[in-house]
Amino acid sequence: MLEKLKEAYHFVFEDELLNEIDRSGQLKEFQAGEMIIDFGDYLKSMPLLLDGAIKVLREDSDGDELLLYFLERGDTCAMTLSCCLGTTKSEIRAVAERDTTLIMIPIEKMEEWTAQYKTWRNFVFESYHTRLTEMLDTIDTIAFLNMDERIMKYLQDKAKVNQDEVVSSTHQQIAYDLHTSRVVVSRILKKLEIEGKIKLNRNQIEVLDL
């Protein structure tokens, strides 16, 4: 585990802290599509992403979901930090976008390392800032982009986080993530294909315009 940890975080944390994370953290693996955190969960640890990718979603009062952002190797989720430190229920759902490996850090270590290691404090504050920026970007996307642009941005982001220009998603899954209807998604995807920006295959979309 230590080697994977160093690959993902050697540029963030000093060796002493990496060794502490290795001793205190719990390694967990999730398959693509598997639930990592659900709405209403009480969280007792925060994730450090060693490999893979995670999508983080929000739910409205009607049970409809909206994609907030993706997490990649070297990231953590600021929403889980808030829940852990505030002992409140999770307000997000985290799902493995592809096969994913995490190290789960206990709450007591989060607090201890915040006082002991400047690099850990900086990492936590930077994570808050990055996730806030991404959520503001999501708000801007909803407020200022039309659905054609939103779907194209979604496909580009998904291709980048998975490091693969072929996106394996159904039209219905895209509709769920973007809080719209499958009919609208299908119509726009066909339009984007005619414009030469994507190529449609069965349950797969090749992103030509990255």
Side-chain angles (χ1 to χ4, degrees):
M1 184 170 78
L2 184 58
E3 288 306 312
K4 280 191 173 184
L5 186 59
K6 286 183 176 180
E7 285 177 18
Y9 293 94
H10 71 277
F11 58 93
V12 180
F13 305 131
E14 59 267 56
D15 286 343
E16 183 182 351
L17 179 52
L18 287 171
N19 287 327
E20 282 214 46
I21 294 171
D22 182 52
R23 288 193 298 269
S24 304
Q26 181 183 4
L27 189 69
K28 288 195 172 184
E29 296 182 340
F30 298 87
Q31 294 184 338
E34 191 174 351
M35 186 97 62
I36 299 171
I37 299 167
D38 201 6
F39 306 112
D41 286 352
Y42 282 103
L43 306 179
K44 297 181 179 179
S45 56
M46 64 164 277
L48 296 181
L49 191 50
L50 292 183
D51 193 26
I54 297 171
K55 66 177 178 180
V56 178
L57 306 129
R58 187 91 163 99
E59 187 178 61
D60 67 13
S61 57
D62 296 324
D64 294 321
E65 295 178 350
L66 177 68
L67 175 68
L68 294 180
Y69 48 78
F70 290 102
L71 300 174
E72 303 177 77
R73 187 174 80 163
D75 286 340
T76 189
C77 180
M79 298 293 284
T80 62
L81 298 177
S82 299
C83 291
C84 284
L85 296 175
T87 62
T88 57
K89 291 182 180 180
S90 170
E91 297 181 351
I92 56 97
R93 172 175 289 154
V95 179
E97 176 69 16
R98 52 193 172 97
D99 291 353
T100 295
T101 304
L102 304 172
I103 292 184
M104 305 303 291
I105 306 299
I107 295 176
E108 60 271 17
K109 288 298 180 181
M110 293 166 53
E111 296 171 337
E112 178 185 323
W113 295 341
T114 298
Q116 187 174 353
Y117 294 104
K118 182 180 179 181
T119 54
W120 179 262
R121 286 198 303 275
N122 290 343
F123 175 70
V124 169
F125 293 145
E126 182 62 30
S127 295
Y128 272 117
H129 178 263
T130 301
R131 301 289 88 80
L132 176 60
T133 300
E134 288 173 339
M135 283 192 283
L136 290 174
D137 185 50
T138 298
I139 293 170
D140 288 346
T141 297
I142 295 169
F144 303 123
L145 298 185
N146 61 40
M147 188 54 71
D148 296 36
E149 294 168 318
R150 285 182 63 195
I151 289 176
M152 194 64 216
K153 182 178 184 302
Y154 168 88
L155 293 173
Q156 289 169 334
D157 288 347
K158 204 169 173 74
K160 288 172 184 173
V161 79
N162 285 299
Q163 301 171 359
D164 188 349
E165 66 272 13
V166 177
V167 174
S168 297
S169 290
T170 64
H171 295 192
Q172 185 62 67
Q173 184 57 60
I174 296 171
Y176 281 141
D177 285 349
L178 296 183
H179 205 310
T180 186
S181 73
R182 184 189 60 77
V183 173
V184 169
V185 169
S186 297
R187 174 176 56 79
I188 291 175
L189 288 176
K190 192 63 184 174
K191 177 174 177 284
L192 292 173
E193 184 177 42
I194 292 170
E195 292 174 353
K197 295 179 180 179
I198 63 172
K199 182 180 179 182
L200 296 175
N201 300 301
R202 183 174 176 80
N203 293 336
Q204 289 187 329
I205 302 163
E206 184 178 353
V207 183
L208 304 176
D209 182 12
L210 283 174

